[in-house]
Amino acid sequence: EKGIIKLKNEKYIKIIKVFPINYELKSELEKKSILNSYKTFLKTCNFNIQILIQSKKEDLKKHFFILEQEKNNNKNKSQDNLYKSYIDYIKKINSENSSSSKNFYIIIDQKNIFKDSQSNEIEKIIIENLNEKYFKIKENLSKCGNFIYEIDKKEIIDILYSFFNYRKQEKM
């Protein structure tokens, strides 16, 4: 629930998705402000974090099919060459397998220090601690311009599936 997973070793983790900004497109003043906000984030996180970057090759056939349709429906024939060169560019990228998408996640953890006790109250405290860490991360990274949100059960399953089946996917 809300990106929290209970592991066998009495450890709980929470996975948070981050939609990062494009730092390179920012002005020098904005970059300075972002770096200061990021420093504050690092100073205030007095707990362990892991950063997971999940890269996935993309098939762009659907994209250039849509572009072909737009080109055919376009009444302004002077744009045909522009469409054609862009479609050719997308086809080239696709044939070289150089198109990929990236997902960014932050993983935080909380151990159950009361290993002998399995009460619901202790689990509630652990979940509250994870959520406090989440809100601290969200508050600080939002100041940098990033969007942060809790993931759902389906996305957790997708992440774990791709992580554990990485070698199988590579061979395909």
Side-chain angles (χ1 to χ4, degrees):
E1 186 176 310
K2 293 187 176 186
I4 297 176
I5 304 168
K6 180 180 178 181
L7 305 175
K8 287 183 181 180
N9 62 355
E10 293 303 312
K11 190 176 185 180
Y12 292 74
I13 63 169
K14 183 173 180 91
I15 303 173
I16 303 163
K17 188 162 188 175
V18 178
F19 287 102
I21 58 166
N22 191 335
Y23 183 77
E24 293 302 317
L25 296 178
K26 302 297 181 182
S27 70
E28 288 305 312
L29 184 62
E30 289 172 314
K31 287 180 180 181
K32 211 176 244 188
S33 175
I34 290 166
L35 286 176
N36 285 331
S37 296
Y38 191 69
K39 285 178 194 175
T40 303
F41 161 69
L42 293 175
K43 286 178 184 177
T44 58
C45 284
N46 54 353
F47 48 86
N48 294 332
I49 63 170
Q50 292 179 20
I51 299 173
L52 170 67
I53 302 171
Q54 190 180 49
S55 208
K56 187 170 63 173
K57 294 288 181 198
E58 293 292 331
D59 184 3
L60 299 175
K61 289 178 186 171
K62 183 179 178 184
H63 183 62
F64 58 73
F65 176 74
I66 291 169
L67 288 171
E68 285 282 353
Q69 287 181 323
E70 284 180 16
K71 177 184 161 220
N72 294 336
N73 293 335
N74 186 17
K75 292 180 171 70
N76 187 349
K77 296 302 172 189
S78 64
Q79 294 177 348
D80 279 356
N81 284 340
L82 189 61
Y83 269 110
K84 184 182 177 336
S85 50
Y86 184 61
I87 291 169
D88 290 343
Y89 172 71
I90 298 295
K91 285 180 180 179
K92 180 180 179 238
I93 289 174
N94 198 51
S95 67
E96 294 171 353
N97 284 333
S98 59
S99 174
S100 66
S101 65
K102 292 186 181 348
N103 292 315
F104 298 86
Y105 301 95
I106 293 178
I107 302 168
I108 52 178
D109 67 354
Q110 181 73 43
K111 283 187 178 178
N112 181 355
I113 55 173
F114 308 103
K115 291 183 181 177
D116 298 335
S117 180
Q118 297 292 322
S119 77
N120 286 341
E121 288 302 313
I122 292 172
E123 190 168 290
K124 284 181 187 176
I125 292 169
I126 291 169
I127 291 171
E128 282 178 22
N129 285 339
L130 283 171
N131 285 328
E132 283 178 26
K133 291 175 183 179
Y134 161 71
F135 286 117
K136 186 180 276 192
I137 290 169
K138 182 176 182 174
E139 177 185 343
N140 284 290
L141 286 182
S142 294
K143 290 177 184 174
C144 298
N146 301 293
F147 294 101
I148 292 82
Y149 76 92
E150 297 172 308
I151 61 174
D152 60 16
K153 187 177 180 178
K154 183 196 176 308
E155 195 162 2
I156 288 174
I157 292 168
D158 291 345
I159 292 167
L160 294 175
Y161 179 82
S162 67
F163 182 76
F164 289 116
N165 291 295
Y166 177 73
R167 297 277 185 238
K168 287 180 186 176
Q169 292 173 3
E170 236 180 21
K171 293 176 184 176
M172 293 178 147

